[in-house]
Amino acid sequence: MLIAERKPMEEILEMIEDFERILVLGCKGCVTVCCAGGPREVKTLSTLIRMDRKQKGRKVITLEDSTELQCEPESIKPVLEKMANQYDVVLSMACGAGVQAVAKLFPDQLVLPSLNTNFTGIAEEHGVWTEACLACGDCILGRTAGICPVTRCAKSLLNGPCGGASEGKCEVSKDQPCAWQEIYHALKRLNMLHYLKQKPQVKDWPVHPGRVVREDLREVEAT
Amino acid sequence: MNFRESLESGKFLVTAEVGPGKGTDVEHLLKDADIIKDRVDAVNVTDLQSSVMRLGSMAFSHLLTDMGIDPIFQMTGRDRNRLALQSDLLSAWVLGIRNVLALTGDHPTMGDHPHAKPVFDLDSVSLLEMIGKLNSGYDMAGNELKGAPDFLAGAVVNPGADTEAALELQIIKMKKKIAAGAKFFQTQAVYDIDLFEKFIRRVEGLKVPIIGGVILLKSAGMARFMNKNVAGVFVPMPLIKEMTDTKDKVKKSIEIAASIVKRLKDLCQGVHIMALGWEKMIPAVLDQADI
Amino acid sequence: MDNFEPLIAVFSCHYCSYAAADLAGSLRIQYPPNIRIIKVPCTGRVSVNHILMAIESGSDGVYVAGCLKGTCHFIRGNYKAEKRVQYVRDLLSEINIEPERVQMYFMSAAEGNKFAEVAREMTEAVKKMGPSPLNKSSS
Ligand code: SF4
Ligand code: SF4
């Protein structure tokens, strides 16, 4: 899932400075699971905005709602249309894709981000997430015992570790295990150490922005 | 004899290392190089060592060729993508540089521009493969070159890897580097000779010249610092104590280095002396080690 | 300002501080009338939004009163509450409201005295801080 964090209040408040009617729009997808932008966080942020304005003696109306998945047009439309003309600005609590989906669907509507989208990751424990996939477009997890060196090795090395690890930790951080040593242990456990001896790989990096086309799913023109 | 000839002759090799500094001042480095000129087979020039922004390796390697020293041009994958790496190698060749040491490189977070974008488009292994391709007259994309280089490529290995996984992975990677064209290996600094010997026994079947690393200990503090911060370097307690107890640090430092060099003579094919500014002492180390 | 009487919301756990309040009552221990007790089944039930709502709707201070550490009926409820209180304090600082307006206390069901003492301590502290900035600007 996508992992995100709320922006500092100062930054959010500055963005909405000129507006009085604010739709705080959460998303019930990833950001609900990582407790950054679900209905609960919408309520928290709206309350903070109202309290800030009250201190400053300035008016504000906060509308609170959440889409099922803000990256899906079908799920944005009904929510925004239901409240059409009741707000001046949409303060999205979705990931960057969600914010952009709203902006694309409502090109005349200003949409602001209230989260910083960090990465695609997994929960280590409740409240701790780590990056797991860089969406490189050519998954090699089958050769690395389910541990991604592209993402979890700080240098995205494909042919084995650098010499920088110390006591099993990556040279960039004592909190981070060396991905290659983890791969080694996992392959050993699975009796697949020979996977490490494959011929050297060079990664062909994808061109951004990516685009996936599935002809079988596209609209058909009746002729 | 240039470095390739020395390597092929099978003689005991001596290499040293210079690290260009931050800025354009190269006078003292050239002076240091001049002192060791007649005692070494080649001099490595580091590539933004420890990810600190400095004068480049290619330019300084070229200055060494002008002095009649055969440089080993160190090249990391940290800062350049495959376009720049290949182009720089061609440039190095026309500047008279003949030897390359292929390294992955430290992460930018280790240096003085910690938020620089890390590149690592190629790592040490794919860098070696690419050098082989250039040598054969083609670039990585398979396009033919008009005029090909003929580099002697080497790599590094860290015999002091501190966990079982790290050591096994080092050896697997070492084999990949050999398959990719590494003709010699230079190692991280060796202090624990018994540990190094164990490593040598594991890899002697690979039949590739290994040049053991020696760092001149300048003080006990430096030894402790390396133990804490430099992966794969471990200075045993007795050596630290010798450094603490001595009245003449320089003399002691030379003595320790010379005794390491002496023992390495029986274990591997050469020594790589990293003097870190104490280049003046290298001749004395070699004299004491009977080289 | 001298006659400012703060309004303080107390999230009080059924198993400890609520019982302690009861005990204080039966023992006729005096405590300030400024506090308003909201009984919860466990302080672990008190969410970030509950505390914020209390502030927004006019409380000058809020505290959560849970069981002594290690004695929560639901094992970790009071520890969770403590972290959430800290989180709310951070949020309040972000919008320039004194974090000290929100506190966490621990007490047992037998500590009627402590309940009264905490109520006095909190009332005094909030009195010193003055009305919540939200209450100031609206008047
Ligand atoms: S290799 Fe890593 S980055 Fe690429 S798709 Fe698989 S998990 Fe994602
Ligand atoms: S220490 Fe391990 S994880 Fe870190 S950069 Fe080196 S190989 Fe990658």
Side-chain angles (χ1 to χ4, degrees), chain A residues 6-10 13 39-41 43-57, chain C residues 47-50 52-53 55-58 84 87-88 90-92 94-97 133-135 137-138:
Chain A
R6 179 175 51 75
K7 284 178 175 291
M9 281 310 289
E10 201 183 337
L13 295 172
R40 264 194 307 178
E41 291 76 29
K43 190 168 184 111
T44 306
L45 180 60
S46 305
T47 310
L48 291 171
I49 291 171
R50 287 193 303 270
M51 298 203 308
D52 173 70
R53 285 289 171 94
K54 196 160 182 211
Q55 286 185 81
K56 294 172 177 157
Chain C
S47 74
V48 167
N49 284 338
H50 288 140
L52 287 178
M53 276 157 65
I55 304 257
E56 188 184 24
S57 45
R84 286 185 202 142
Y87 183 71
V88 171
D90 294 343
L91 288 177
L92 293 177
E94 280 200 70
I95 55 166
N96 302 313
I97 295 180
L134 301 186
N135 302 341
S137 52
S138 64

Side-chain angles (χ1 to χ4, degrees), chain B residues 260-277:
Chain B
I260 295 173
V261 172
K262 255 191 184 154
R263 293 199 54 192
L264 290 182
K265 274 203 287 189
D266 303 327
L267 289 172
C268 58
Q269 289 69 44
V271 285
H272 177 58
I273 304 177
M274 294 165 266
L276 308 170

Side-chain angles (χ1 to χ4, degrees), chain A residues 132-141 148-151 203:
Chain A
C133 173
L134 276 173
C136 75
D138 179 17
C139 195
I140 57 163
L141 287 173
C148 172
V150 179
T151 311
K203 183 126 202 105

Side-chain angles (χ1 to χ4, degrees), chain A residues 154-155 157-168 171-172 180-181 184-185 188 196 198 200 202-205, chain B residues 82 104-107 109-110 120-123 125-126 129 158 162-166 168-170 172-173 176 231:
Chain A
K155 300 174 189 169
L157 301 179
L158 296 185
N159 302 311
C162 70
S166 107
E167 288 163 16
E171 74 176 27
V172 304
W180 273 102
Q181 295 198 30
Y184 176 85
H185 291 302
K188 193 170 176 189
L196 288 173
Q198 278 157 344
V202 173
K203 183 126 202 105
D204 288 329
W205 292 100
Chain B
R82 61 193 83 169
T104 295
D106 292 334
H107 197 276
T109 52
M110 315 286 285
F120 301 110
D121 189 21
L122 302 184
D123 63 2
V125 177
S126 43
E129 282 199 321
N158 185 351
D162 61 354
T163 63
E164 178 224 310
E168 294 306 317
L169 286 162
Q170 278 291 315
I172 293 171
K173 198 161 180 180
K176 285 191 185 182

